[in-house]
């Protein structure tokens, strides 16, 4: 049985039991809803532009900025830092920013409210909305790894378990943070503002544009506690190698802690009714 969902106005949604058909029925519902969301995403030209074109533009911007930075002593090449930073861009833009708009749009159009009147559980609604964006991010991440191997002579991920863990945690964290951010976003237009804080903090302080190795130790220690920093550490060192035990533990703990907080925030504050 699912647990009650706390609503933003203090009320508690009634408990809803899963369909007797169990996991197969849940999978069918998720599949149907995710396909519908994918069709809507494909039809949204501006969202597709942001998801496909902007990350590429940002990667070139990252590379240009890295060429002005002395990476000596960091163990990173410009290409390696730029492409791993590109995965961070994909997580922020394709998953987080795209999903905030998606959740707000579905809420304001009463889609979420209508879905809750049927057999679909709250978890299924949230996951199915996120799946197309996550799938697109997976494809782009794979393409970045392939591009690194073909065009920039980078090796395959040296520690694939860390690389995959970073991606998995990143997808879950960014999806949950998107749902949580939608709770404080009134309209689709204001989503461009409510997503900016995490966007800029992640870009310049989580190792996307500038590796943490070039910052002073005390400042880097603070930046290690930011939401996306742990994920970027896992992705970067999972692909390029060179991570130390202490840094790895800090990255995993920080990433999992932020993911847990994001999931809690969604359960506590996510809004299903329009805010208008």
């Amino acid at each position: 049985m699912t647990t009650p969902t706390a609503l933003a106005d203090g009320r508690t949604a009634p408990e809803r039991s899963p369909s007797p058909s169990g996991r197969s029925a849940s999978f069918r519902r998720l599949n149907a809803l995710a396909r519908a969301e994918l069709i809507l995403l494909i039809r949204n030209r501006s969202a597709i532009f942001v998801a496909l074109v902007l990350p590429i533009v940002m990667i070139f911007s990252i590379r240009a900025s890295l060429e002005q930075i002395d990476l000596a002593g960091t163990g990173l090449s410009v290409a390696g830092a730029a492409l791993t930073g590109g995965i961070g861009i994909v997580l922020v833009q394709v998953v987080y920013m795209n999903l905030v708009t998606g959740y707000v749009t579905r809420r304001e159009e009463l889609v979420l409210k209508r879905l809750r009147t049927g057999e679909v559980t709250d978890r299924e609604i949230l996951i199915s909305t996120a799946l197309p964006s996550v799938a697109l991010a997976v494809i782009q991440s794979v393409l970045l790894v392939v591009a690194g191997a073909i065009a920039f002579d980078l090796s395959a991920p040296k520690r694939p378990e860390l690389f995959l863990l970073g991606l998995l945690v990143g997808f879950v964290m960014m999806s949950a943070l998107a749902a949580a951010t939608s709770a404080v976003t009134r309209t689709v237009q204001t989503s461009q503002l409510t997503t900016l804080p995490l966007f800029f903090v992640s870009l310049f302080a989580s190792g996307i544009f500038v590796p943490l190795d070039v910052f002073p130790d005390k400042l880097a220690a603070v930046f290690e506690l930011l939401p996306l920093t742990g994920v970027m550490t896992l992705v970067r060192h999972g692909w390029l190698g060179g991570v130390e035990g202490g840094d790895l533990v800090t990255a995993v703990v920080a990433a999992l802690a932020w993911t847990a907080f994001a999931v809690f925030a969604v359960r506590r504050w996510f809004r299903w009714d329009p805010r208008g």
Side-chain angles (χ1 to χ4, degrees):
M1 180 176 292
T2 58
T3 56
T5 302
L7 304 180
D9 57 6
R11 296 181 293 110
T12 301
E15 295 183 3
R16 294 186 291 166
S17 299
S19 172
S21 52
R23 294 182 179 178
S24 61
S26 177
F27 177 79
R28 288 195 298 271
R29 292 193 295 267
L30 273 173
N31 184 48
L33 289 173
R35 282 190 298 171
E37 288 291 338
L38 179 60
I39 293 172
L40 292 174
L41 176 61
I42 293 173
R43 290 176 178 176
N44 189 335
R45 295 182 180 179
S46 61
I48 289 295
F49 176 83
V50 170
L52 296 179
V53 178
L54 283 187
I56 298 175
V57 174
M58 295 298 293
I59 290 171
F60 282 103
S61 299
I62 293 174
R63 182 165 184 170
S65 69
L66 289 171
E67 289 175 347
Q68 310 301 319
I69 298 174
D70 182 12
L71 295 178
T74 66
L76 297 172
S77 65
V78 171
L83 289 176
T84 51
I87 291 180
I89 291 294
V90 168
L91 289 171
V92 174
Q93 291 190 324
V94 179
V95 181
Y96 174 69
M97 300 181 74
N98 193 47
L99 273 180
V100 172
T101 302
Y103 283 127
V104 173
T105 300
R106 306 297 180 270
R107 184 192 69 207
E108 296 303 308
E109 293 178 350
L110 301 178
V111 174
L112 300 182
K113 190 172 184 179
R114 288 196 297 268
L115 287 173
R116 298 187 84 209
T117 62
E119 294 182 350
V120 187
T121 65
D122 294 349
R123 184 180 303 175
E124 290 168 353
I125 295 171
L126 295 174
I127 293 175
S128 63
T129 304
L131 280 178
S133 294
V134 170
L136 185 58
V138 169
I139 294 172
Q140 289 183 294
S141 298
V142 171
L143 291 176
L144 284 173
V145 173
V146 173
I150 295 176
F152 299 99
D153 199 28
L154 295 178
S155 65
K158 294 183 178 179
R159 297 195 59 181
E161 75 282 4
L162 293 183
F163 183 76
L164 293 176
L165 176 62
L167 286 181
L168 177 60
V169 175
F171 294 146
V172 176
M173 181 199 299
M174 290 293 103
S175 298
L177 286 174
T181 303
S182 72
V184 296
T185 306
R186 286 190 169 274
T187 65
V188 173
Q189 290 72 26
T190 57
S191 67
Q192 300 175 20
L193 298 177
T194 56
T195 56
L196 286 182
L198 182 61
F199 174 75
F200 282 120
V201 166
S202 299
L203 227 60
F204 298 106
S206 288
I208 295 179
F209 252 89
V210 182
L212 294 188
D213 308 70
V214 304
F215 289 107
D217 290 343
K218 291 184 179 180
L219 189 58
V222 174
F223 289 166
E224 286 177 353
L225 303 178
L226 296 173
L228 202 59
T229 305
V231 170
M232 287 304 303
T233 299
L234 292 172
V235 167
R236 179 159 283 153
H237 293 292
W239 188 349
L240 305 176
V243 67
E244 298 179 0
D247 293 337
L248 179 60
V249 171
T250 301
V252 172
V253 170
L256 293 179
W258 275 105
T259 302
F261 170 76
V263 172
F264 167 78
V266 174
R267 293 176 61 86
R268 179 65 181 86
W269 293 297
F270 187 79
R271 299 181 67 99
W272 298 93
D273 296 328
R275 293 199 55 179

